[in-house]
Amino acid sequence: MMLESMLVQIMVIIAIGIGAQWIAWKFHLPAIVIMSVGGLLLGPVFGMINPEQDFGDLFQPLISVAVALVLFEGSLHLDFREIKGLGKPVIRLVTVGAVLCWIFGALSAHFVAGLSWAVSFVIGGVLIVTGPTVIMPLLRQAKLHPRPSTMLKWEGIIVDPLGALLAVFAFEIMLVVQKGKTLMELGVFFIGVFLSVIIGWASGKGVAMMFKKGYAPQFLKSPMVLAVVIFCFTISDELVHETGLVAVTVMGMTLANTRISSVHDLRHFKENISVLLISAIFVMLTSSLTKETLLNILRPEIIGFVILMMFVVRPLSVFLSTVRTDLSKKEKLFIGWIAPRGIVALTVSSYFASILMQAGFEDAAILTPLTFALVFATVCMHGFTMKWLADKLSLSSNGQPGVLFVGSNTFTVQWAKQLQNLNVPVLVADASWKKLKLARAEGIPFFHGEILSEQTEFSLNMTPYEYLIVATEYDSYNTLVCTSFMPQFGRENIYQLRFQQDVGDELKEIHPTIGGHMLFEHTETWESLVSRLEEGFVLKNTTITEQYSYEEYMRNQDYEAIRLMVLKASGQLHFYTNDQKMNIEAGDTIMSLAPPSRKGSVSNKSIQLTN
């Protein structure tokens, strides 16, 4: 049944896209796979919508603007201060490795898929893109060691806009070589590229100046940037076609390096916009595919191209580009296998397919099924094998979710040490080197730096840590940190200490959805917890068994003891709060802060304790 109303179509597209993202988050599945299935069911399978036909002349501009916004969001992460400190292997991967992948991919497209040289070099540039929107969720699930995780993360961030730029240059040069375009016309194109760079730079500088001078109110900053990005892309593209992508990339890079605090907020806004756009655009693209296009995916040359890209081009590019670096063979093997292409690759290839066909390259019609086949194959294969391969190569942390503590003091250090004894990954972060002396003395992994700094997201690998506990002596700071990290950890995994007794009424009246969950059933504050440790209280672990039930544990527990958390037999951690209902079973371990042994306290003989 075809949906006639365009408004209903838009509603269905957005609902399917966001619904697919939620399902992927809920069940730890690659989002692009769910969106692909949803789009294919809407389009080729049931024939409910065909956006390319139904949207008519609006379809291509929508795709173009969406690609521009996604590339701008990616380029906002290109801070040169961070790129300088990446290390030799990462620099090699995103430069030499990207060029090798481009060349090998173009050769594969020409000799295996049968594409012309022009189309081959264009698609070769597009398909070097992995993209942070695809790789970051997979990295969090796999819980990789810092080095391979950092390399894959930065490759996705840097190569994301680079692939589109390579495709633009390849397209224009091939027009000269194969379509009789004059050198003067090529010169006009490069002048257009230069002008687009100026427009992008000026747009970025202009926005930064307005923000620094206070000419833009806070509530208008993100919408204003959105409008300027569309303006920047449109003006550049109207001057010289295909240069709009260069302009928005330069604008993003300029803003990323202006050292203004607003960039952090812009990133969050742009990430939200990107998620919405990516969800909608990907459903639109897949639902616009025809049954004939899907059957083309099964052609031997396309299957051969996909296999070659996955098993030869990617590994060979990684191994050659990282020669004489300190990467181990296991790390090279892992990075050489993992390269999931994503929504950016498909949207950009769709964009170039249309302009290549308009330029007379008829074989460009195969670009959409070819790219879709590679995207779907890599996301499925790499998404479902990443964790397995990382475990086999000993490149992942154990499956145990870790805990990141913010604030180094006697309480957090002792808690982290006790968790470490239970083989739970831990890290204590603090901006004070003096306070970190406690963590260093106990051999606890630590991070020295301001957790709220923009640099932290690059210098601190948070992948192994699923839970955040903020326990400094400053209640307002604790709340600020929890609120800042909600998008990354999710509020269900963020906890903070209760407000101290002398805190102002304003802070006590903060809405309960602001900040993290308040820890512990008792009204324990930072001061009282540190004071109890000074009085001789100790952290104890109690394992519940069939013989020693939770009910018996509660009867024997000292009235002054504070239950902190439960380590489930499955490895999950549950923290005690006033609103947390615990379901304790045999095999679970309860951690508590117990008073010194005295008459009437729990007998160590009756339960299994590990100090």
Side-chain angles (χ1 to χ4, degrees), residues 289-304:
L289 297 175
T290 63
K291 293 180 180 178
E292 291 75 17
T293 302
L294 293 179
L295 290 175
N296 281 336
I297 293 175
L298 302 177
R299 289 165 56 178
E301 57 267 33
I302 291 184
I303 295 175

Side-chain angles (χ1 to χ4, degrees), residues 405-409 412-413 428-441 446-452 472-474 477 526:
F405 291 92
V406 177
S408 179
N409 50 65
T412 55
V413 168
V428 175
D430 203 299
S432 168
W433 184 252
K434 182 178 179 181
K435 291 179 180 178
L436 284 171
K437 180 180 179 181
L438 296 168
R440 301 199 308 271
F446 64 90
F447 171 76
H448 178 223
E450 173 52 61
I451 197 71
L452 292 175
T472 74
E473 61 268 45
Y474 306 110
Y477 179 78
W526 181 88

Side-chain angles (χ1 to χ4, degrees), residues 332-454:
K332 290 180 180 180
L333 179 62
F334 182 80
I335 295 170
W337 168 242
I338 301 299
R341 275 65 170 188
I343 297 163
V344 173
L346 188 61
T347 52
V348 173
S349 72
S350 174
Y351 172 80
F352 278 105
S354 63
I355 63 173
L356 280 165
M357 291 178 68
Q358 291 172 9
F361 296 98
E362 297 298 331
D363 56 332
I366 200 177
L367 287 189
T368 300
L370 183 143
T371 309
F372 183 78
L374 183 63
V375 167
F376 198 79
T378 54
V379 168
C380 289
M381 293 291 289
H382 299 160
F384 291 114
T385 62
M386 177 185 273
K387 183 168 177 54
W388 172 84
L389 184 60
D391 291 338
K392 288 292 182 183
L393 296 176
S394 302
L395 293 177
S396 67
S397 308
N398 57 31
Q400 177 65 54
V403 181
L404 171 60
F405 291 92
V406 177
S408 179
N409 50 65
T410 53
F411 175 67
T412 55
V413 168
Q414 289 304 313
W415 194 356
K417 182 179 180 181
Q418 201 73 348
L419 283 168
Q420 197 175 45
N421 293 337
L422 294 172
N423 298 318
V424 176
V426 294
L427 184 76
V428 175
D430 203 299
S432 168
W433 184 252
K434 182 178 179 181
K435 291 179 180 178
L436 284 171
K437 180 180 179 181
L438 296 168
R440 301 199 308 271
E442 293 290 349
I444 304 297
F446 64 90
F447 171 76
H448 178 223
E450 173 52 61
I451 197 71
L452 292 175
S453 169
E454 293 180 11

Side-chain angles (χ1 to χ4, degrees), residues 31 97 108 243 256 261 264 333 389 401 444 458 532 545 548:
S108 302
T243 61
S261 58
H264 187 69
L333 179 62
L389 184 60
I444 304 297
F458 304 109
R532 287 179 185 273
T545 65
Y548 187 77

Side-chain angles (χ1 to χ4, degrees), residues 55-100:
F55 287 21
D57 293 338
L58 282 176
F59 183 78
Q60 195 56 48
L62 284 174
I63 297 293
S64 300
V65 171
V67 172
L69 289 170
V70 171
L71 286 179
F72 171 76
E73 192 271 326
S75 62
L76 270 179
H77 294 276
L78 294 179
D79 190 330
F80 295 139
R81 293 167 294 177
E82 303 305 327
I83 297 174
K84 290 178 182 177
L86 290 180
K88 188 176 180 180
V90 182
I91 297 295
R92 287 271 203 90
L93 186 64
V94 301
T95 53
V96 178
V99 173
L100 288 175

Side-chain angles (χ1 to χ4, degrees), residues 19-20 39 59 69 79 118 221 223 228 236 372 376 381 425 449 496 555 562 583:
F59 183 78
L69 289 170
D79 190 330
K221 286 183 178 179
V228 174
S236 299
F372 183 78
F376 198 79
M381 293 291 289
Q496 69 181 93
R555 287 195 299 269
I562 304 168
N583 181 25

Side-chain angles (χ1 to χ4, degrees), residues 213-330:
K213 299 286 187 180
Y215 294 154
Q218 187 65 35
F219 74 94
L220 269 184
K221 286 183 178 179
S222 293
M224 184 179 293
V225 171
L226 182 64
V228 174
V229 171
I230 296 174
F231 166 84
C232 183
F233 171 77
T234 304
I235 295 299
S236 299
D237 211 59
E238 288 297 318
L239 288 175
V240 179
H241 283 306
E242 287 75 60
T243 61
L245 299 181
V246 178
V248 295
T249 301
V250 172
M251 180 182 169
M253 292 170 62
T254 303
L255 276 174
N257 291 275
T258 52
R259 295 168 174 78
I260 57 174
S261 58
S262 300
V263 171
H264 187 69
D265 298 329
L266 290 178
R267 284 175 184 161
H268 283 308
F269 175 75
K270 293 303 176 188
E271 284 169 2
N272 294 335
I273 291 292
S274 292
V275 169
L276 180 61
L277 285 174
I278 283 169
S279 303
I281 296 302
F282 196 75
V283 173
M284 288 172 62
L285 288 173
T286 51
S287 59
S288 295
L289 297 175
T290 63
K291 293 180 180 178
E292 291 75 17
T293 302
L294 293 179
L295 290 175
N296 281 336
I297 293 175
L298 302 177
R299 289 165 56 178
E301 57 267 33
I302 291 184
I303 295 175
F305 173 78
V306 170
I307 292 173
L308 200 61
M309 289 291 290
M310 292 176 65
F311 292 95
V312 178
V313 172
R314 170 66 177 184
L316 188 60
S317 302
V318 170
F319 273 86
L320 290 178
S321 63
T322 55
V323 169
R324 294 183 180 177
T325 64
D326 58 351
L327 283 184
S328 66
K329 290 182 179 179
K330 288 183 177 181

Side-chain angles (χ1 to χ4, degrees), residues 533-551:
L533 286 172
E534 292 174 350
E535 293 170 5
F537 277 61
V538 293
L539 277 82
K540 294 183 177 180
N541 300 329
T542 307
T543 301
I544 302 300
T545 65
E546 296 290 347
Q547 293 75 30
Y548 187 77
S549 66
Y550 182 58
E551 290 74 17

